Amino acid sequence: MKGLNRQERNWVLYDVGNSAFVMLTATIIPIYFKNLAEGAGMSGADSTAFFGYASSLVTVIVALLGPGLGAVADVRGYKKRLFLGALLLGAAGCALLAAPWGWFGFLAVYVLAKIGYQGSLIFYDSMLGDVTGEERMDLVSSHGYAWGYIGSCIPFVASILLILCGDRLGLSAGTAMSAAFLINAVWWIAMSAPLLGSFEQRYCAEKGSHPVRQSLGRLSGVWRELKAEPKILWFLAAFFFYIDGVYTIIDMATSYGKDVGISDTDLMLALLLTQVVAFPCSILFGHIAKKMEGGRLIQISIVGYVGVVLFALQMDQAWEFWLLAVWVAVFQGGIQALSRSYFAKIIPKERTAEYFGFYDIFGKGAAFMGTMLVGAAAQISGDTRTGVGLLAVLFVVGLLLFRRADREAGEGGA
């Protein structure tokens, strides 16, 4: 993390911590759930659909709660408290996945853990303006995703070794899986401690006699403000579509790969490769953003994702999944990091959590549509490819809307 100050490094470390859970949700959790469900007699298409529905439920809940929680978090002294609460819910849920659940119980605990994870990001993303200046936001945001990708490999490799080699250590498959969930929960909390210890809320609304009521009252004015700021409104509309595709691919890639015949081992190792390749690519995007407009880089990434979807439609061999994993890695960190910093630059600094609550509605809340599309199409047609193909439409619409947003933002992009 050369070139980052203490506050920036501590902020980046939370990406390192929560990315371990993200890695679980992209690899071990869907594989384990599908094995539980199929062991109970459920078809592959139905288990993929139920996992998609669970992910959709999470995003709807967080989208409904996000703006209100974000508004409260902007009050002096509240952002860190709410961040801690969401973090503990997520990490505790991750640890509880270690219990011997059936497929339904496991899915229910997963929903709680993911609500905590996604909720924490509302407050975490809004902290970017508190820990660094506008001129460094692209770089620091990119470092967050980059170190998150590479840092998550440490608990993930430990988890994979336990799962694949547990029998040599005298561990049953269930015990090895439980240990993996506990390792990732502890990692998540440990990497969060530096930020909790050092964070100071620089931009905030002053605390009144009824801070929660007053914060919620401010929400009614946000939509009026968005109408007066078309660059924000058009960006959120574009973000809704293109990031929907990105998060759906993250949530559903393993389930889709399993449905087209890729082995569990190839799935996990290929996605580990994604983390490794995404590390330098994310940092590279941050440095390129110093010379090229962030808006242009986002558009390039969206086009790259259209290619990902089209290639995935014909995929049926392990080497193709490995190639696809590298392809995704090139753009995944860049598009998320630059979107986060792009938005942070165009919103009021003293109301970042409130606005990031809406960012979450249009972002992770939008994943409701993508996962529902994939899940419903898989059940209706009996073939997961049908839903995956629809993701290309989301990226194309997102690209067209973002071009409008970038024009509104002016010649300088953001």
Side-chain angles (χ1 to χ4, degrees):
M1 301 182 191
K2 184 178 180 181
L4 301 183
N5 61 39
R6 177 172 173 266
Q7 283 276 35
E8 292 168 345
R9 284 196 301 271
N10 290 346
W11 182 84
V12 165
L13 281 175
Y14 183 68
D15 251 322
V16 176
N18 73 63
S19 291
F21 179 72
V22 175
M23 191 65 167
L24 281 181
T25 64
T27 54
I28 294 174
I29 288 176
I31 290 173
Y32 185 60
F33 169 73
K34 286 181 74 69
N35 289 338
L36 283 176
E38 290 171 14
M42 190 181 299
S43 70
D46 281 344
S47 62
T48 296
F50 278 114
F51 194 77
Y53 297 153
S55 298
S56 297
L57 176 62
V58 171
T59 53
V60 168
I61 292 172
V62 176
L64 291 174
L65 296 177
L69 292 174
V72 175
D74 279 325
V75 176
R76 183 179 300 278
Y78 277 75
K79 188 177 289 186
K80 186 191 290 189
R81 296 180 199 174
L82 290 170
F83 171 69
L84 175 60
L87 159 65
L88 292 177
L89 175 62
C94 181
L96 286 172
L97 290 173
W101 306 101
W103 71 267
F104 184 81
F106 181 86
L107 202 59
V109 175
Y110 166 71
V111 166
L112 290 176
K114 201 168 184 187
I115 287 172
Y117 158 69
Q118 289 195 4
S120 75
L121 293 187
I122 296 173
F123 316 116
Y124 171 66
D125 288 344
S126 72
M127 291 174 176
L128 180 58
D130 292 301
V131 301
T132 194
E134 185 171 312
E135 72 285 352
R136 290 174 58 81
M137 283 184 179
D138 287 333
L139 180 64
V140 175
S141 184
S142 296
H143 268 275
Y145 278 104
W147 287 100
Y149 289 132
I150 200 68
S152 67
C153 293
I154 297 173
F156 181 71
V157 169
S159 300
I160 292 298
L161 289 175
L162 278 173
I163 294 168
L164 297 181
C165 305
D167 55 339
R168 300 179 188 176
L169 300 173
L171 300 176
S172 67
T175 301
M177 189 68 71
S178 296
F181 291 132
L182 292 172
I183 287 172
N184 283 271
V186 171
W187 175 269
W188 190 353
I189 292 175
M191 292 297 104
S192 306
L195 178 60
L196 288 168
S198 66
F199 176 73
E200 296 180 4
Q201 192 171 350
R202 293 169 54 197
Y203 300 101
C204 54
E206 291 303 320
K207 186 176 181 180
S209 56
H210 301 284
V212 175
R213 186 188 309 167
Q214 291 165 352
S215 299
L216 295 177
R218 292 200 308 270
L219 288 177
S220 61
V222 172
W223 288 112
R224 292 194 297 272
E225 294 170 11
L226 289 177
K227 292 178 182 178
E229 290 286 353
K231 62 184 179 182
I232 300 177
L233 192 58
W234 281 107
F235 169 78
L236 288 174
F239 188 64
F240 178 90
F241 284 96
Y242 75 75
I243 211 67
D244 184 356
V246 172
Y247 287 129
T248 301
I249 288 173
I250 292 172
D251 283 342
M252 305 295 287
T254 306
S255 293
Y256 177 65
K258 195 169 175 63
D259 285 347
V260 298
I262 311 301
S263 72
D264 290 357
T265 300
D266 276 319
L267 288 172
M268 290 189 289
L269 293 179
L271 289 169
L272 175 60
L273 177 63
T274 300
Q275 303 297 100
V276 174
V277 175
F279 170 66
C281 289
S282 297
I283 292 179
L284 179 62
F285 267 79
H287 285 288
I288 294 175
K290 295 179 181 178
K291 300 179 180 180
M292 183 183 295
E293 296 174 3
R296 184 175 300 177
L297 284 173
I298 291 173
Q299 292 177 58
I300 291 171
S301 298
I302 295 172
V303 173
Y305 264 101
V306 173
V308 166
V309 173
L310 296 178
F311 184 81
L313 289 176
Q314 59 79 52
M315 181 181 68
D316 60 4
Q317 298 183 53
W319 72 266
E320 291 176 314
F321 192 83
W322 283 80
L323 176 60
L324 193 66
V326 173
W327 193 340
V328 168
V330 172
F331 299 106
Q332 183 171 290
I335 196 170
Q336 293 180 88
L338 294 175
S339 296
R340 177 167 62 188
S341 55
Y342 189 102
F343 187 68
K345 293 176 185 178
I346 62 176
I347 60 175
K349 296 292 184 293
E350 71 282 358
R351 299 174 66 188
T352 54
E354 184 176 341
Y355 273 83
F356 268 103
F358 282 91
Y359 178 88
D360 203 73
I361 286 181
F362 286 86
K364 294 178 182 65
F368 168 82
M369 182 170 62
T371 51
M372 284 292 289
L373 279 174
V374 174
Q379 280 196 308
I380 293 171
S381 67
D383 186 352
T384 314
R385 296 178 197 270
T386 306
V388 171
L390 295 176
L391 296 181
V393 178
L394 300 182
F395 285 117
V396 171
V397 173
L399 176 62
L400 295 175
L401 291 173
F402 186 83
R403 289 174 64 86
R404 173 65 183 270
D406 211 35
R407 286 197 299 270
E408 291 288 350
E411 186 68 24

